[in-house]
Amino acid sequence: MNSSTTNFDVSPRRAVRYLLWFFGTAMVLSICAWVVVRPIAPQFTGNASFDQKLLYLREHPPKSGPIGLVVGSSMALNNVDTDVLASSLDRPFLNLGVWGLGTAEAGRIADQFDRLYGASEIILVAQFFEMKDEPAERFAIPDAALHEYLKGNAWLADIEHRDFYESLRMRSRWARSFENQHRYTSLKFSETGAAPLLIRPDQSDPSRWNPPQPFSVECKDCMREIESMCVAFREKNIPFSVVMPPLTQWIGEHREDVRAAYADRRTRLAAVLKRCGAPLFDAAKWAKFDDACFADFAHLNATGMRRMTELFLHWREKRLTETPISINCAED
């Protein structure tokens, strides 16, 4: 019976060519994958809004010198136009609003960025439903990783914290979900890091216009974190203030639980800040915003964001009277 053998011996020169081809192909594929996920931030925290804000800051570092820091959840991100603050006050501001950020974490992040850039003032933006006995802690990033990514070797920090599968998943939805200002998930940042929404009331999600969950006035220790934050920054001689954005007229007229909870938190907050020596800007006290200013019951749209920020500036300049003004965003 005839038999044949196959010689698998490979010459050293050919082996080198194979290795070069393998590593070259791997490098090309890696570069292609990197280019594809380039708009997506490394997954430092698992909170897309904060991770993307870090990428934005790395690519658009703030001007040198003390910076006004606006901190909070989406109440800050979508409700305060820090571009207007920066241009009107002629000094740098940074919007550090992050989805789902609790008041305890807001204080920690403000402290981190004060050490990183230096804060000229801290403005906390908070709504009544965020003032809870047990503030949620959703994410954290160590000082060393934050500094390394924003001011050090970003490549090493990127590689260490990059989840390529999650980055590819986000990239597939990027234009539709995160760059679309007509969606609540928009992360299309302004020059100073705000995220204006282009959502009219007739485009609002009904469950966000009239949320199904009830709101309670129960509060055993819901002001502790805000008071601690106020005391800490006042001790560092950093001006501290709190902004309480408005709610839709519709929700105030139709939801007794919202009216009661809002009034309860506003009263408690005013008392805490008075003890601490910090001012409270309660937008609803100074103006009646028509519902055309809103994207849902608590988030302003881009026009409402601008109008509330202008009102805030008038309040700082003591240009308002005790009689609330009417703000009609439908006319803009």
Side-chain angles (χ1 to χ4, degrees), residues 42-79:
Q43 287 68 34
F44 287 102
T45 66
N47 184 305
S49 63
F50 187 48
D51 293 338
Q52 290 301 136
K53 184 68 63 72
L54 294 182
L55 174 61
Y56 184 82
L57 289 175
R58 184 171 67 79
E59 295 181 341
H60 305 84
K63 296 177 182 178
S64 59
I67 299 171
L69 301 178
V70 176
V71 297
S73 66
S74 57
M75 291 295 100
L77 182 66
N78 302 132
N79 286 351

Side-chain angles (χ1 to χ4, degrees), residues 313-329:
L313 288 168
H314 292 165
W315 169 77
R316 285 170 63 121
E317 297 163 358
K318 303 187 184 304
R319 293 168 56 186
L320 301 177
T321 67
E322 292 296 323
T323 303
I325 64 174
S326 295
I327 294 180
N328 185 356
C329 293

Side-chain angles (χ1 to χ4, degrees), residues 5-298:
T5 59
T6 303
N7 186 0
F8 289 100
D9 292 340
V10 179
S11 67
R13 183 175 296 179
R14 180 172 293 182
V16 169
R17 286 203 300 267
Y18 285 158
L19 286 172
L20 290 175
W21 178 86
F22 174 79
F23 285 114
T25 301
M27 182 174 292
V28 169
L29 290 175
S30 298
I31 292 172
C32 289
W34 195 273
V35 170
V36 169
V37 302
R38 183 65 190 83
I40 310 302
Q43 287 68 34
F44 287 102
T45 66
N47 184 305
S49 63
F50 187 48
D51 293 338
Q52 290 301 136
K53 184 68 63 72
L54 294 182
L55 174 61
Y56 184 82
L57 289 175
R58 184 171 67 79
E59 295 181 341
H60 305 84
K63 296 177 182 178
S64 59
I67 299 171
L69 301 178
V70 176
V71 297
S73 66
S74 57
M75 291 295 100
L77 182 66
N78 302 132
N79 286 351
V80 176
D81 192 332
T82 36
D83 286 17
V84 170
L85 289 180
S87 61
S88 299
L89 298 176
D90 195 27
R91 54 190 175 89
F93 272 84
L94 179 59
N95 191 314
L96 291 175
V98 174
W99 297 338
L101 188 71
T103 52
E105 289 184 305
R108 178 176 51 76
I109 286 175
D111 186 58
Q112 281 186 301
F113 277 84
D114 171 42
R115 295 196 301 273
L116 193 67
Y117 296 124
S120 60
E121 67 173 298
I122 306 289
I123 301 172
L124 171 66
V125 187
Q127 192 47 270
F128 76 94
F129 48 78
E130 299 175 308
M131 303 172 198
K132 303 175 182 178
D133 291 325
E134 298 180 0
E137 290 194 10
R138 298 171 185 246
F139 58 90
I141 178 170
D143 283 357
L146 182 68
H147 190 278
E148 181 74 9
Y149 186 64
L150 294 181
K151 290 193 170 184
N153 192 328
W155 280 87
L156 290 178
D158 194 308
I159 292 170
E160 181 181 355
H161 296 277
R162 170 76 65 184
D163 180 335
F164 268 93
Y165 174 77
E166 179 61 23
S167 295
L168 288 170
R169 194 178 70 85
M170 280 191 65
R171 188 68 178 92
S172 67
R173 301 182 294 126
W174 184 249
R176 181 177 72 256
S177 297
F178 301 109
E179 281 199 328
N180 186 350
Q181 291 178 276
H182 295 276
R183 299 188 67 136
Y184 296 104
T185 52
S186 172
L187 293 176
K188 191 174 180 63
F189 297 130
S190 70
E191 183 177 346
T192 57
L197 298 175
L198 301 179
I199 302 174
R200 302 189 309 268
D202 61 316
Q203 301 168 326
S204 176
D205 180 342
S207 67
R208 296 180 65 115
W209 194 258
N210 182 23
Q213 72 271 24
F215 295 98
S216 172
V217 298
E218 184 177 354
C219 167
K220 295 178 182 178
D221 202 21
C222 60
M223 293 293 143
R224 178 173 57 86
E225 298 297 344
I226 293 178
E227 186 166 20
S228 297
M229 185 177 178
C230 180
V231 170
F233 287 116
R234 295 279 292 171
E235 288 178 348
K236 294 172 69 174
N237 293 317
I238 298 175
F240 177 79
S241 59
V242 178
V243 170
M244 200 168 179
L247 302 174
T248 60
Q249 292 185 28
W250 189 96
I251 203 78
E253 293 169 358
H254 292 82
R255 292 283 296 270
E256 183 178 351
D257 61 329
V258 171
R259 291 197 304 272
Y262 185 94
D264 175 81
R265 296 302 192 268
R266 177 175 56 188
T267 300
R268 293 175 187 270
L269 182 59
V272 163
L273 294 178
K274 184 177 181 180
R275 288 199 301 270
C276 180
L280 167 64
F281 173 66
D282 174 15
K285 175 183 177 181
W286 302 101
K288 293 182 178 179
F289 289 77
D290 78 327
D291 287 353
C293 298
F294 292 84
D296 63 23
F297 90 103

Side-chain angles (χ1 to χ4, degrees), residues 292-306:
C293 298
F294 292 84
D296 63 23
F297 90 103
H299 291 86
L300 296 161
N301 55 32
T303 303
M305 168 196 265
R306 175 177 57 80

